[in-house]
Amino acid sequence: YNKAFRLVGLPQEALNWPLSRLAVPIMAQVRDRPAEFVRAFRHFNLSSMALGLPCVVFLLVSTDQIVAVLYGPQWTEVGPLLRLLGVMGLLNTFLFAAGWVYTALGTVRRQLYWDIFNLAVLTVAFLIGARWGAPGVAFAASATCVALRIPALTFCFHGTPLRQRDIGGVLWRPLLAAGLAAGLVLGVRSAGGTSGPALGVVLRDGIVLAVGYVLGWVLVPGWKNFLRHELRRPEPVP
């Protein structure tokens, strides 16, 4: 379970540090200007999701081969646990967005209240899931993440200019593109099989996923204007 949990969280851990170093100070400097604060939030949240979603999807469609390459063939039991944790991994692509808001607005006390509540719910879920061993704990983690994600954002956004649509407005395009990419990889795996060296299968699937992800973006009308608007980097106040 520990290896599966670490692997599914790896993409967002790699993105969180550089993005947080940019997002928090810029959002803090424009917190008194609602329109700019919202634009900065959308910009960094889109960056997090656009980079994180395809990575998590890749882990979920090429699970067994990725586990074999990273951990070795003796760790096959990690695969099913990784799939059970997949929903949590996908939602974690915008998990850190709430932390940016709390820190930028100086409302970390509110964040502490939520973290205590979240930990309590997660503990109960783990105790229930533990009856079914590691799979039960993995399922409990994903189910809790799904159940609490909207309440967590609602609690975080209360009293701020942010709304749920500021998540959804930048989420649907990378989610659609990642879904198309996953479908292409699964089609190739079904047609071409998964026999042979695990590293070769991983490289093949990675190339197909990258091509599919790009296609998923460009096939939606208006993608250039969307990216030009949303990815225009917010500038800090002098």
Side-chain angles (χ1 to χ4, degrees), residues 132-150:
W132 292 272
V137 174
F139 178 81
S142 279
T144 303
C145 193
V146 171
L148 294 183
R149 185 52 43 220
I150 290 179

Side-chain angles (χ1 to χ4, degrees), residues 58-147:
F58 186 34
L59 289 174
L60 298 181
V61 296
S62 303
T63 306
D64 294 334
Q65 288 72 32
I66 291 176
V67 169
V69 170
L70 294 180
Y71 293 148
Q74 71 274 22
W75 289 97
T76 55
E77 293 183 4
V78 172
L81 298 178
L82 185 59
R83 294 187 184 97
L84 286 172
L85 291 169
V87 175
M88 183 184 70
L90 294 171
L91 293 177
N92 279 353
T93 58
F94 53 90
L95 171 68
F96 297 109
W100 298 341
V101 175
Y102 286 123
T103 305
L105 295 180
T107 55
V108 291
R109 183 183 294 272
R110 281 174 54 82
Q111 183 181 18
L112 176 61
Y113 294 154
W114 178 263
D115 286 345
I116 293 173
F117 172 75
N118 182 75
L119 180 60
V121 174
L122 195 60
T123 300
V124 173
F126 280 177
L127 290 174
I128 296 173
R131 298 176 58 189
W132 292 272
V137 174
F139 178 81
S142 279
T144 303
C145 193
V146 171

